[in-house]
Amino acid sequence: MNTKKLVTASVLLALGFILHIIAPPLIMGIKPDFLLAMMFLAIFINPDIKNAMIISIAAGILTGITTTLPNGLLANLIDKIITGFIVYNLTKFTKFNFLNMIIISIIGTYISGTLCLLVAFLGDFTMYFANLPVVIITALLNGFIVPFIYKLEKTAIKKS
């Protein structure tokens, strides 16, 4: 990973970390995971498996230490690693355009949220279904946030 892409990924993760901290809880104290959107952007900008895994681990740790979800650190770490691998593969094997970016972001967020809830609540499907609306809302938000910030990032890179 060259220095410019490393700095870009770091800034995106830092921005996602700040958004994750200040995001208000939606249902039962569960907050939307905006750090996930920044993780997707970092993977889209630098689609390399090694970098995707490093970014995913860093995002999992950052999300885990700020979450209000029970068992959140382990759940976030597991879900970010798996989701990062899936998003990397979807990015690698599809034509990269804005529509696919939206679809990959929505799918990735839904997978991440589902895995996180299943691991955190250890198979308690009542809690899973109670929190599923947060996952769906966050997936839709990330589907529109990711292409918007990607466009801003590409504009900033061109001007620098």
Side-chain angles (χ1 to χ4, degrees):
M1 184 185 294
N2 68 28
T3 306
K4 195 177 217 179
K5 289 182 180 180
L6 178 65
V7 169
T8 302
S10 300
V11 168
L12 287 171
L13 288 178
L15 177 62
F17 182 67
I18 292 167
L19 287 173
H20 188 72
I21 290 172
I22 65 173
L26 296 179
I27 298 173
M28 297 175 61
I30 307 297
K31 298 194 283 185
D33 190 358
F34 294 114
L35 185 60
L36 190 62
M38 300 307 148
M39 180 182 98
F40 293 161
L41 281 170
I43 292 171
F44 292 153
I45 291 167
N46 193 10
D48 177 56
I49 187 65
K50 192 172 41 172
N51 298 329
M53 290 298 99
I54 291 168
I55 290 165
S56 299
I57 291 168
I61 292 169
L62 290 173
T63 306
I65 62 175
T66 60
T67 190
T68 56
L69 187 67
N71 300 324
L73 179 60
L74 180 64
N76 278 293
L77 190 57
I78 290 170
D79 92 69
K80 297 298 183 286
I81 292 170
I82 293 170
T83 304
F85 182 73
I86 291 170
V87 167
Y88 163 76
N89 283 312
L90 287 173
T91 303
K92 202 69 173 165
F93 298 114
T94 60
K95 184 177 179 181
F96 191 72
N97 57 36
F98 279 120
L99 179 62
N100 286 345
M101 188 185 307
I102 291 169
I103 293 168
I104 290 170
S105 298
I106 291 171
I107 290 170
T109 305
Y110 185 77
I111 290 169
S112 175
T114 299
L115 288 171
C116 187
L117 290 176
L118 289 174
V119 171
F121 295 124
L122 301 172
D124 182 1
F125 291 108
T126 307
M127 291 301 289
Y128 168 75
F129 286 114
N131 290 294
L132 195 57
V134 175
V135 173
I136 293 168
I137 291 167
T138 304
L140 294 174
L141 284 172
N142 282 354
F144 291 102
I145 289 171
V146 169
F148 177 73
I149 295 177
Y150 182 82
K151 181 108 172 123
L152 289 175
E153 187 272 336
K154 285 299 177 189
T155 304
I157 293 292
K158 282 181 185 175
K159 291 185 178 184
S160 66

